[in-house]
């Protein structure tokens, strides 16, 4: 049975989400294997939680303790580099702003920046809530650091993460990572297997 | 690398948990493939939530809506029979009492009853919060219905689910299904892949 669509996989994530980071390492290969593109949508989970009643993992009794074990083991299971950041979680505001500012100019470049920011945080332990760190990561990729630094305090750029998060909430997104393809929602890095089958053979 | 232990997989679940039901269909085969036994521990998630702050899925904004889609799709993904019960969730008190009463007499029989109760609820849509339904399911398997009916109102039998749940909480169990093997915790039906690797080749 053919897949129902040919549209992109919408990939929603928060820059402070470990499972979002894992998904960022894997989603492009899963989609490409079936001829699909991926649209990356960084969002601010803090705003989502105001609607959903969710909370950051470390603050949840019992589940927070488990999550530390699970995240590190899941990284090893999939062979993805991982180091628990000392400061966790952090705000993804600056990273989101940089992403959308760059995406308006060069989507592929913005995607590379997103991956670099994830690695900076979850491998190198750099505090990506700092606009300066975000600019440094971008500059390290050869992107125009000065123009980005200026953009990060532009009111329109500052507003964008909230707008994108509200659009995501309107589509039902309540966690990170969250995927929507052909109208079908998949929540969690551990749903990549079902997403893969969906792309391979259509609705099941 | 060999596994670190030869002990059983402790399998914690609530009789009203869809993902617990899926795990009940799959865990024995996963464990048996690596020469391990499974100890089944039905618990009452309601008591766990008093400690963990968790809530039943249907009551959680956004996540509740998603869960209805995810549960049905996950059943199809794994080829497990599934029908959304009209009354959901229900109390697992009567089912838990029956399980532990029977387990004290015949562990394998109690396991078969647990599977039959899961099927009665999640396939046939019978309300297993009713002691009479639990007795009927047991009697349908050839178990002594009258003795079970009497046992279900015995004070010691009635207390057992709470005691077992408290033991589970003390081990860190906060959801269903939840597995502990060789001291390592695995939460969720979607961690059977990591549990399988753990049993195959030891800690990773």
């Amino acid at each position: 049975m053919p897949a129902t669509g040919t549209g992109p996989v919408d990939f929603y994530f928060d820059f402070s989400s470990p499972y979002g980071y894992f998904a960022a390492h894997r989603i492009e290969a899963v989609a490409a294997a079936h001829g699909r593109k991926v649209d990356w949508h960084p969002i601010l989970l803090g705003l989502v939680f105001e609607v959903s009643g969710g909370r950051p993992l470390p603050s949840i009794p019992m589940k927070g303790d488990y999550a530390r074990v699970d995240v590190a083991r899941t990284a090893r299971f999939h062979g993805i580099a991982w180091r628990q950041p000392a400061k966790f979680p952090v705000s993804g505001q600056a990273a989101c702003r940089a992403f959308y500012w760059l995406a308006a100019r060069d989507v592929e470049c913005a995607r590379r920046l997103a991956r670099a920011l994830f690695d900076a945080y979850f491998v190198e332990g750099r505090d990506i809530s700092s606009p300066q760190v975000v600019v440094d990561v971008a500059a390290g990729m050869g992107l125009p650091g000065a123009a980005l630094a200026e953009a990060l305090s532009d009111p329109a750029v500052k507003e964008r993460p909230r707008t994108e998060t509200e659009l995501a909430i309107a589509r039902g997104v309540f966690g990170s990572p969250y995927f929507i393809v052909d109208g079908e929602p998949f929540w969690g890095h551990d749903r990549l297997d079902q997403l893969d089958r969906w792309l391979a053979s259509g609705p099941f």
Side-chain angles (χ1 to χ4, degrees), chain A:
Chain A
M1 180 165 58
T4 50
T6 55
V9 176
D10 285 310
F11 168 37
Y12 297 89
F13 61 94
D14 184 293
F15 274 110
S16 199
S17 158
Y19 301 106
Y21 160 74
F22 299 149
H25 267 265
R26 299 178 60 211
I27 184 60
E28 289 288 350
V30 170
H34 307 294
R36 300 282 191 119
K37 299 287 185 194
V38 182
D39 276 357
W40 292 44
H41 304 269
I43 57 171
L44 302 173
L45 266 191
L47 296 180
V48 174
F49 289 166
E50 288 175 14
V51 177
S52 69
R55 283 183 293 169
L57 278 173
S59 70
I60 304 177
M62 307 176 78
K63 198 170 178 174
D65 291 336
Y66 171 78
R68 274 190 292 277
V69 173
D70 186 67
V71 165
R73 189 180 60 212
T74 297
R76 294 191 298 272
F77 186 71
H78 291 286
I80 299 172
W82 164 263
R83 205 170 62 184
Q84 175 65 45
K87 187 176 165 191
F88 176 78
V90 296
S91 165
Q93 281 276 13
C96 271
R97 289 174 191 170
F99 175 90
Y100 285 114
W101 176 78
L102 193 56
R105 284 146 190 84
D106 184 334
V107 169
E108 184 43 47
C109 224
R111 222 169 286 173
R112 287 201 298 121
L113 176 63
R115 283 187 289 251
L117 288 167
F118 263 138
D119 287 350
Y121 184 49
F122 285 121
V123 181
E124 299 157 33
R126 297 166 75 184
D127 179 1
I128 59 167
S129 68
S130 153
Q132 187 57 54
V133 169
V134 170
V135 168
D136 289 349
V137 170
M141 293 170 55
L143 296 169
L148 175 58
E150 194 175 335
L152 288 182
S153 53
D154 178 280
V157 173
K158 289 171 75 170
E159 189 53 24
R160 189 72 185 275
R162 172 179 290 272
T163 313
E164 292 290 338
T165 302
E166 284 166 358
L167 286 170
I169 292 169
R171 295 193 74 190
V173 175
F174 61 85
S176 167
Y178 197 102
F179 310 93
I180 302 177
V181 62
D182 309 331
E184 184 79 0
F186 298 85
W187 171 50
H189 168 249
D190 36 29
R191 284 297 175 277
L192 281 178
D193 54 357
Q194 295 192 21
L195 175 55
D196 183 61
R197 185 186 295 180
W198 182 280
L199 295 179
S201 50
F204 59 84

